[in-house]
Amino acid sequence: MKSVMIPVDGTSASLEAVRATLREGPEAIARIELLNVQPRLNRHICAFVPRSMRDAWREERARRALHGALARVRHSGIPCRTHMATGRIAPEIALAASSLGVDEIVIAARRRGPLGRLLASSVSASLLPLSEVPVRVVPGGAPPAFERFALPAGLGLAALLLLAAD
């Protein structure tokens, strides 16, 4: 039996990682570690907001992000613990996985259209070279309609403008 860590951010994509892990069942999984990584705040904000308020804000955001995943795991009967980290997402996931001694990280990759892949960075791609623990990437649902059609529509409009200019 193995221990698995699932990074959770409260989105439907991260819940897909939870569902994929739970499909293996309690016979295959000894425990699940749910991790939420909160961002560091800009130093200018930190100058005006007390540490206690920043920590409370992060804890509330982490609690909300972990809520759905925790409910699903508890319903499955697999032992589970929750963790929160602060910092850059991929390095914090890799650090937590090695310190918790998990056997596998299961992360969902958001499906993105061409525009989304061009503009957004991928946590799963950033995590792969950093992790000493095997990483399983599961699909996280269909890309938003805007991302699927924005780039093709923009290219089509540009082509029409070029033809009209002649």
Side-chain angles (χ1 to χ4, degrees), residues 5-130:
M5 186 175 76
I6 308 171
V8 177
D9 62 0
T11 62
S12 60
S14 65
L15 291 178
E16 285 299 322
V18 173
R19 285 186 201 102
T21 304
L22 294 179
R23 273 185 234 130
E24 295 181 39
E27 318 70 54
I29 300 172
R31 78 176 193 281
I32 294 177
E33 307 285 350
L34 297 175
L35 173 71
N36 177 261
V37 181
Q38 291 294 312
R40 291 196 188 281
L41 296 175
N42 184 296
R43 65 184 169 96
H44 300 295
I45 294 172
C46 294
F48 296 103
V49 180
R51 180 182 212 78
S52 60
M53 286 181 72
R54 294 189 313 252
D55 291 344
W57 176 75
R58 285 187 188 111
E59 286 176 20
E60 175 61 23
R61 282 178 44 111
R63 188 187 59 75
R64 277 189 271 137
L66 291 164
H67 177 73
L70 185 58
R72 283 177 173 78
V73 174
R74 282 187 178 156
H75 183 68
S76 73
I78 299 172
C80 176
R81 293 186 302 182
T82 60
H83 308 275
M84 187 195 88
T86 303
R88 293 180 26 229
I89 298 171
E92 289 298 327
I93 293 170
L95 180 65
S98 61
S99 67
L100 292 171
V102 297
D103 300 311
E104 180 181 40
I105 300 171
V106 179
I107 189 168
R110 289 189 182 101
R111 292 183 181 178
R112 293 190 169 111
L115 182 64
R117 284 192 297 272
L118 180 68
L119 298 175
S121 63
S122 169
V123 173
S124 56
S126 301
L127 178 62
L128 290 172
L130 297 175

Side-chain angles (χ1 to χ4, degrees), residues 136-151:
R136 179 169 36 132
V137 181
V138 299
F146 172 76
E147 286 188 14
R148 284 183 286 170
F149 299 114
L151 187 61

